[in-house]
Amino acid sequence: IYQGAPSYIARKLADGVPTNEALKQWRELVTPLLTVFRRHRAKTVLIESNSALQAPEDFHFACKDNFEIDAGATPTQYSDQSLGIFEILASQLLIENPETEELSSELDVSALRFARKPQSLGRKALHELNTLNERINGLEKTLAQSTQNVEQLERTGEENNLLRTQLYRVQSE
């Protein structure tokens, strides 16, 4: 599991680490990781930490399906704290540093992509379908009540017109 260059470098810059030092630190962290990955590609899986945090269910499914391990508790919320100008600066630094950008690209291309199993997609789709059906039922009830209200208003309007006509007749007499 590794932290992608943009988020790592942005965090370091926000902490006051000089740009060249932040780039160097990230390269020093991931170079041995990539060396191991290249040598043992068939036995190694790379996971970018932010993607695992952003899709915890997918991460858990991948751990269970690929490694038969339980990844532990699923975070209920992922806090992607924006680093604003530091993220922009980190992206620009990557563009200006081909060596670091190349390492970042290789890691990103090699990292495991999370995809839910078809049955979990089916469960999610079924849940969404049930939610939509409940909303439709609620809307149908609201429509039926609105229709009754319109009919009542029409009857009341007709009664008012009849009473108005009778009132004009009484006033005319």
Side-chain angles (χ1 to χ4, degrees):
I1 296 179
Y2 71 97
Q3 186 174 11
S7 60
Y8 179 90
I9 293 167
R11 173 64 52 205
K12 289 295 181 180
L13 294 175
D15 291 342
V17 176
T19 56
N20 288 337
E21 185 62 26
L23 290 164
K24 180 183 170 195
Q25 286 178 9
W26 185 80
R27 283 193 308 266
E28 289 174 352
L29 283 173
V30 299
T31 299
L33 178 69
L34 265 174
T35 301
V36 170
F37 179 75
R38 289 174 188 143
R39 288 184 186 154
H40 306 284
R41 208 173 277 269
K43 299 177 185 177
T44 310
V45 175
L46 293 173
I47 298 172
E48 200 279 324
S49 60
N50 287 335
S51 69
L53 290 171
Q54 290 172 350
E57 286 183 10
D58 295 344
F59 174 69
H60 281 265
F61 283 126
C63 288
K64 196 83 155 162
D65 292 346
N66 294 314
F67 317 114
E68 297 178 0
I69 60 171
D70 183 3
T74 302
T76 54
Q77 287 183 332
Y78 170 68
S79 176
D80 186 13
Q81 296 177 345
S82 176
L83 297 172
I85 192 71
F86 297 109
E87 292 173 333
I88 296 168
L89 184 55
S91 297
Q92 187 62 37
L93 284 171
L94 284 174
I95 292 168
E96 294 173 2
N97 291 275
E99 179 186 353
T100 306
E101 185 175 33
E102 188 176 311
L103 285 173
S104 179
S105 294
E106 184 177 353
L107 281 167
D108 290 345
V109 167
S110 302
L112 178 65
R113 300 287 173 234
F114 300 111
R116 293 189 175 135
K117 293 171 65 174
Q119 69 187 50
S120 69
L121 285 175
R123 280 195 308 256
K124 184 177 180 185
L126 184 60
H127 174 72
E128 288 178 14
L129 179 63
N130 288 336
T131 301
L132 288 173
N133 280 335
E134 289 172 7
R135 288 182 66 195
I136 288 170
N137 288 339
L139 289 171
E140 286 175 344
K141 288 178 184 177
T142 302
L143 178 62
Q145 182 63 43
S146 295
T147 302
Q148 288 177 354
N149 290 344
V150 167
E151 290 171 355
Q152 178 65 34
L153 284 172
E154 288 173 350
R155 283 193 298 271
T156 303
E158 289 171 5
E159 290 173 7
N160 283 344
N161 288 339
L162 181 61
L163 288 172
R164 193 174 293 129
T165 304
Q166 290 174 351
L167 180 62
Y168 290 141
R169 269 193 235 147
V170 169
Q171 286 176 344
S172 299
E173 295 174 4

